[in-house]
């Protein structure tokens, strides 16, 4: 089989009532060169009965069954190395993508002069029955584009745009690029993002900080935040997928509304914890990130703070973050030099907190030695 | 497969369908225009709707009207109200019965124009930001259909900002809204600013709410005297959460008889019989409203974040010029003192100091802060200058 242009990964847990619709929407893509892996995370509902019907129906589709719930990130990490081709999209099992999703995203990636880490489309939020609630995710609508893409920057040969037909002109005027250092969350949730697979592999959490325990995380909280800082992203201001709100969503209770926190507190606290995982990963292997994005190490370190729209100091003064930095201080200084690390951390923590941090680092070393 | 246009129903293989609106009709009396009201709902060009009639007088007129005019139309049903249910409780029960993403509450003397549902839904789907409420002016007519009050006065107010809709090709388009109609809607849509809340107490605009936010607000509803007060509460709080979009064209009509004309001038205030002066009444109403918001601080602070303080100011309904006087009232200071610990816990030292410092004079700040801090009251709190402390400048 030829390498796919795009991979789809569907990770299902107890969405037996919706996963069939998600898989059908992938199989119906007008861009046909894709591969799809569907994983069932040990669901306890009718999911397996639904997914059984998709086995052996299409060479591009494979279905796997896990015997324990690896959560979304854990399941994704377990099969990441099998994926081929350049792009990947993680499709939530309770969502669906429109027929031109793959074609539009692939064309958008090609349109951009500098390749971005991921593209994100606007979504239609729908209720449990599929009725439209919005035609845009509010954080996506809120963000202002910094740069418009001009059609004369398109690199694609004409024949590769054949699948889009008349929709191509809508796409060309709807793609805007977000620079790597943008503040806040500007993208749609989950089933709207098409990532460069190579950057995801390079940035993925490798550090075993939760041994023998499934990684509890949504993939976007980690990958969108981190790969944005590495390579920036682009928004496609057209609805290309549907985000379903059905009352069992982990993160959201209502559709997205302006200036209103629709997220559930538990979902938000989980997101904040996942952002600290970025700090843990980046400080555990700084050499990798120095190579991946030369000159941008500290901009990458600032990514979790930028994502929340908080002051940088609020993030770096957090005791959990300080603990991570204490643990990895020696690794950081070995890679960047002590002067660089101390200068940058003191700016971020403030003098008082930095002084306490240094003392704690020294104590920690003594503790290790004794 | 080439795609010639972005028909989202087709692109989603039929999985995504258009929005649905619920219309709750309050039928208050045996003399209402229920037939005309239901007929106008049945004539909507957007077919995805449901209609619940709250038959407050249990006369059966609504059920008869549905059977004769819409026999078998499953979109219409009547909810009986038992005598032990309060008006607000009956309305809340109805709001929990609906299965639509959008809802409007109309009076049985209202009639909505054929494009009412389409216009409001299309506006909701195409606004630059997702808001919880759209409103449109109500044309008031007398019993011989003479127009009494066809208002665009809110739209003419200085603070109202025309915002337009997003580009047509980037939003869900309803088939019942033509390109020309979409452009007209876009030209007439305006944003009502946070501080402009007086319209929420008037009956000369009709609201279309997002049902999910109503459910969130009704988790712990306030104690209110009647349905109209509840509707006013929902209009106000939806506005405080996300602001409101105004469609600048009348989309409905209300027929009012002579003695009911006073209702067109504004809903009854929360206080009914009173010997208080107007200023004292204003303080009492502001205190009641802030008391509710502070009593639900955990919920509303989560939803609103730091805008909670703006919402406190706005919900008081005290004009900006009078707000400093309002916050110097002992009763108001006592209210904030009662909730000081929670305010400090929620907003931290910086948020507490800034917001209390900007509203209250030094004496009252100390009085409030003593209930928040166990030992030392931060010096910064006392350093706000009484003369320069100015609420409202930052908010508006």
């Amino acid at each position: 089989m030829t390498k796919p242009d795009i991979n789809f990964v569907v990770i299902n847990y107890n969405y037996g009532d919706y996963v069939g619709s998600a898989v059908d929407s992938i199989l119906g893509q007008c861009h046909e060169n894709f591969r799809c892996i569907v994983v069932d995370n040990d669901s306890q509902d009718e999911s397996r009965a639904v997914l059984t019907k998709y086995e052996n129906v299409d060479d591009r589709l494979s279905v796997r069954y896990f015997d324990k719930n690896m959560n979304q990130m854990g399941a994704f990490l377990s099969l990441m190395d099998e994926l081929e081709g350049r792009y990947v999209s993680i499709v939530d099992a309770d969502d669906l993508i429109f027929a031109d999703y793959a074609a539009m995203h692939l064309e958008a990636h090609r349109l951009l002069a500098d390749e971005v880490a991921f593209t994100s489309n606007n979504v239609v939020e729908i209720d449990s029955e599929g009725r439209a609630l919005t035609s845009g995710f509010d954080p996506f609508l809120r963000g202002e584009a910094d740069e418009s893409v001009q059609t004369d920057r398109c690199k694609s040969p004409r024949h590769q745009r054949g699948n889009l037909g008349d929709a191509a002109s809508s796409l060309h005027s709807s793609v805007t690029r977000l620079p790597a250092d943008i503040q806040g969350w500007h993208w749609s949730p989950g089933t709207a993002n098409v990532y460069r697979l190579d950057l995801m592999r390079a940035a993925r959490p490798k550090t075993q900080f939760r041994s023998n325990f499934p990684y509890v995380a949504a993939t976007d909280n980690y990958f969108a935040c981190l790969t944005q800082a590495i390579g920036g992203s682009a928004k496609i201001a057209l609805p290309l997928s549907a985000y379903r709100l059905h009352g069992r969503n982990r993160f959201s209770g209502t559709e997205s509304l302006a200036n209103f926190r629709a997220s559930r507190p538990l979902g938000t606290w989980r997101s904040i914890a996942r952002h600290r995982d970025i700090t843990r990963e980046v400080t555990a292997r700084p050499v990798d990130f120095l190579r991946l994005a030369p000159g941008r190490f500290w901009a990458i370190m600032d990514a979790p703070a930028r994502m929340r729209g908080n002051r940088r100091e609020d993030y770096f003064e957090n005791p959990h973050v300080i603990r991570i930095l204490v643990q990895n201080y020696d690794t950081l200084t070995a890679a960047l030099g002590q002067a660089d690390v101390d200068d940058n951390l003191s700016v971020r923590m403030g003098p008082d907190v930095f002084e306490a941090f240094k003392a704690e680092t020294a104590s920690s070393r003594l503790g290790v030695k004794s | 497969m080439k795609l010639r246009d972005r028909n989202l129903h087709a692109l989603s293989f039929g999985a995504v369908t258009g929005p649905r609106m619920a219309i709750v009709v309050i039928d208050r009396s045996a003399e209402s225009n229920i037939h005309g009201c239901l007929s106008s709902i049945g004539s909507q060009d957007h077919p995805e709707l449901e209609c619940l009639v709250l038959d407050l007088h249990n006369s059966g007129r609504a059920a008869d009207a549905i059977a004769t005019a819409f026999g078998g139309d499953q979109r219409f049903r009547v909810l009986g109200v038992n005598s032990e249910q309060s008006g607000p409780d009956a309305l809340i029960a109805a709001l929990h019965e609906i299965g639509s993403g959008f809802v409007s509450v109309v009076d049985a003397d209202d009639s909505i124009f054929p494009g009412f549902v389409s216009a409001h839904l299309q506006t909701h789907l195409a606004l630059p930001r997702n808001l919880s409420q759209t409103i449109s002016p109500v044309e008031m007519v007398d019993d011989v259909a003479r127009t009494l009050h066809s208002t665009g006065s809110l739209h003419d107010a200085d603070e109202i900002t025309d915002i337009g809709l997003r580009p047509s090709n980037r939003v869900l388009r309803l088939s019942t809204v033509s390109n020309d109609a979409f452009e007209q809607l876009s030209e007439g849509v305006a944003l009502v600013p946070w501080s402009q809340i007086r319209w929420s107490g008037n009956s000369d605009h009709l609201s279309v709410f997002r049902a999910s936010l109503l459910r969130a607000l009704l988790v712990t509803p306030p104690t209110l005297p009647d349905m109209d007060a509840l509707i006013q509460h929902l209009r106000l709080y939806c506005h405080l959460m996300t602001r409101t979009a105004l469609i600048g064209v009348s989309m409905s009509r209300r027929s009012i008889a002579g003695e009911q004309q006073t209702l067109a001038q504004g809903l009854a205030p929360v206080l009914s019989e009173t010997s208080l002066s107007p200023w004292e009444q204003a303080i009492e109403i502001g205190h009641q409203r802030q008391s509710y918001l502070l009593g639900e601080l955990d919920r509303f602070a989560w939803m609103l974040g730091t805008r909670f303080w703006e919402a406190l100011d706005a919900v008081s309904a005290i004009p900006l010029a009078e707000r400093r006087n309002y916050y110097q009232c002992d009763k108001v200071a006592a209210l904030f003192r009662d909730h000081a610990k929670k305010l400090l816990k929620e907003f931290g030292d910086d948020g507490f100091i800034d917001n209390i410092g900007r509203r209250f004079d030094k004496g009252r700040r100390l009085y409030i802060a003593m209930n928040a801090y166990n030992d030392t009251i931060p010096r910064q709190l006392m350093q706000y200058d009484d003369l320069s402390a100015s609420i409202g400048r930052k908010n508006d």
Side-chain angles (χ1 to χ4, degrees), chain B residues 275-331:
Chain B
S275 57
L276 299 175
S277 70
W279 174 239
E280 287 167 337
Q281 285 187 49
I283 293 171
E284 187 60 36
I285 291 171
H287 181 274
Q288 280 186 11
R289 287 178 168 179
Q290 288 189 331
S291 183
Y292 170 72
L293 200 51
L294 286 164
E296 299 290 322
L297 192 153
D298 291 342
R299 267 201 316 135
F300 283 110
W302 173 261
M303 291 192 282
L304 290 166
T306 53
R307 283 192 312 109
F308 180 83
W309 295 94
E310 281 182 64
L312 271 176
D313 291 338
V315 84
S316 72
I318 301 291
L320 186 60
E322 298 300 326
R323 235 175 253 164
R324 192 182 304 168
N325 291 334
Y326 172 80
Y327 281 113
Q328 307 328 309
C329 296
D330 292 340
K331 183 173 183 144

Side-chain angles (χ1 to χ4, degrees), chain B residues 176-248:
Chain B
T176 49
V177 178
S178 67
N179 289 339
D180 285 346
F182 186 90
E183 292 308 315
Q184 281 177 3
L185 265 181
S186 186
E187 284 167 16
V189 169
L191 193 61
V192 183
W194 299 114
S195 58
Q196 178 61 273
I197 68 163
R198 296 184 80 80
W199 61 270
S200 66
N202 295 335
S203 61
D204 56 359
H205 286 81
L206 195 52
S207 296
V208 173
F209 304 100
R210 283 189 178 273
S212 60
L213 189 53
L214 294 191
R215 282 190 286 272
L217 291 173
L218 291 172
V219 167
T220 47
T223 304
L224 292 165
D226 52 44
M227 279 190 196
D228 291 329
L230 177 60
I231 293 168
Q232 181 181 356
H233 171 85
L234 293 174
R235 282 151 65 94
L236 171 62
Y237 276 85
C238 280
H239 178 67
L240 290 177
M241 292 295 146
T242 71
R243 286 198 286 189
T244 299
L246 166 65
I247 298 172

Side-chain angles (χ1 to χ4, degrees), chain A residues 133 135-136 138 255 259 261, chain B residues 125 129-130 210 212 302 307:
Chain A
L133 294 169
S135 54
D138 192 75
E255 62 266 40
N259 303 300
R261 200 183 304 184
Chain B
L125 292 176
R129 302 283 300 275
N130 296 335
R210 283 189 178 273
S212 60
W302 173 261
R307 283 192 312 109

Side-chain angles (χ1 to χ4, degrees), chain A residues 21 24-30 32 96-101 104 122 124-127 129-139 141-142 162-167 170 173-175 237-240 242 244 253-266 268-269 311, chain B residues 1-6 8-21 48-49 99-102 121-122 124-133 166 169-173 194 210-213 215-217 240-243 299-307 346 350:
Chain A
S21 180
D24 285 340
S25 73
I26 294 170
L27 293 176
Q29 289 298 293
C30 68
E32 295 173 348
L96 58 98
I97 59 178
F98 299 160
D100 54 357
Y101 176 92
M104 290 285 206
N122 205 352
V124 174
E125 292 173 286
I126 59 176
D127 66 13
E129 296 175 31
R131 296 188 191 280
L133 294 169
T134 73
S135 54
F137 187 64
D138 192 75
L141 299 176
R142 178 190 63 209
N163 282 343
L164 289 177
D166 294 338
S170 280
S173 62
S174 301
V175 178
L238 298 172
L240 300 177
R244 197 188 303 268
T254 70
E255 62 266 40
S256 62
L257 297 173
N259 303 300
F260 176 81
R261 200 183 304 184
S263 59
R264 303 182 198 279
L266 187 59
T268 298
W269 304 138
R311 291 185 326 146
Chain B
M1 178 174 78
K2 282 197 179 177
L3 298 167
R4 293 223 170 262
D5 59 43
R6 301 206 75 251
L8 293 187
H9 184 70
L11 284 171
S12 68
F13 316 100
V16 175
T17 57
R20 184 168 64 186
M21 186 188 295
E48 295 300 318
L49 60 87
S100 303
F102 300 86
L121 290 180
Q122 183 65 85
H124 268 286
L125 292 176
L127 285 167
R129 302 283 300 275
N130 296 335
L131 304 186
S132 59
Q133 178 175 209
R166 281 185 280 142
N169 67 336
R170 294 185 185 178
V171 301
L172 283 183
R173 287 289 307 277
W194 299 114
R210 283 189 178 273
S212 60
L213 189 53
R215 282 190 286 272
L217 291 173
L240 290 177
M241 292 295 146
T242 71
R243 286 198 286 189
R299 267 201 316 135
F300 283 110
W302 173 261
M303 291 192 282
L304 290 166
T306 53
R307 283 192 312 109
E346 184 63 45
D350 288 349

Side-chain angles (χ1 to χ4, degrees), chain A residues 38 69 164 281:
Chain A
V38 181
N69 183 4
L164 289 177
E281 192 64 26

Side-chain angles (χ1 to χ4, degrees), chain A residues 108-354:
Chain A
H109 273 277
R110 292 184 196 116
L111 271 177
L112 295 153
D114 298 320
E115 293 202 56
V116 296
F118 67 99
T119 50
S120 182
N121 62 260
N122 205 352
V123 297
V124 174
E125 292 173 286
I126 59 176
D127 66 13
S128 59
E129 296 175 31
R131 296 188 191 280
L133 294 169
T134 73
S135 54
F137 187 64
D138 192 75
F140 187 102
L141 299 176
R142 178 190 63 209
E144 283 183 7
D146 286 326
E147 187 178 330
S148 294
V149 176
Q150 303 303 316
T151 53
D152 59 5
R153 293 165 66 189
C154 172
K155 303 189 296 184
S156 305
R158 282 189 181 277
H159 70 83
Q160 288 186 346
R161 283 180 280 164
N163 282 343
L164 289 177
D166 294 338
S169 58
S170 280
L171 173 67
H172 294 175
S173 62
S174 301
V175 178
T176 53
R177 182 177 176 173
L178 300 180
D181 294 336
I182 200 163
Q183 190 91 350
W185 182 275
H186 295 268
W187 306 276
S188 289
T191 313
N193 302 321
V194 173
Y195 292 89
R196 269 181 50 189
L197 185 53
D198 60 332
L199 288 181
M200 282 187 109
R201 283 200 177 109
R204 69 179 161 188
K206 295 179 181 175
T207 308
Q208 295 299 315
F209 45 82
R210 277 193 181 82
S211 58
N212 300 320
F213 194 84
Y215 191 116
V216 182
T219 50
D220 278 335
N221 282 330
Y222 183 91
F223 283 115
C225 178
L226 184 48
T227 62
Q228 162 67 22
I230 293 169
S233 63
K235 291 167 60 165
I236 306 171
L238 298 172
L240 300 177
S241 55
Y243 179 66
R244 197 188 303 268
L245 294 154
H246 45 68
R248 288 179 279 151
N249 305 79
R250 181 174 270 187
F251 189 76
S252 298
T254 70
E255 62 266 40
S256 62
L257 297 173
N259 303 300
F260 176 81
R261 200 183 304 184
S263 59
R264 303 182 198 279
L266 187 59
T268 298
W269 304 138
R270 279 197 176 118
S271 296
I272 293 171
R274 293 292 73 78
H275 290 154
R276 287 200 291 272
D277 290 346
I278 293 172
T279 303
R280 189 177 282 113
E281 192 64 26
V282 173
T283 56
R285 48 187 186 97
V287 172
D288 291 344
F289 288 95
L290 282 166
R291 285 196 197 117
L292 190 58
R296 287 196 51 76
F297 182 83
W298 290 104
I300 293 171
M301 282 285 286
D302 291 337
R306 276 202 302 275
M307 201 57 45
R308 304 238 33 101
N310 293 340
R311 291 185 326 146
R312 198 166 57 173
E313 295 82 352
D314 291 340
Y315 182 77
F316 283 95
E317 291 168 1
N318 182 293
H320 296 288
V321 175
I322 289 177
R323 193 172 312 130
I324 294 168
L325 293 168
V326 167
Q327 286 169 354
N328 291 324
Y329 180 73
D330 288 345
T331 308
L332 275 174
T333 54
L336 289 98
Q338 182 167 349
D340 183 55
V341 172
D342 285 355
D343 283 348
N344 277 285
L345 287 182
S346 67
V347 163
R348 283 156 177 78
M349 291 177 180
D352 295 340
V353 174
F354 180 69

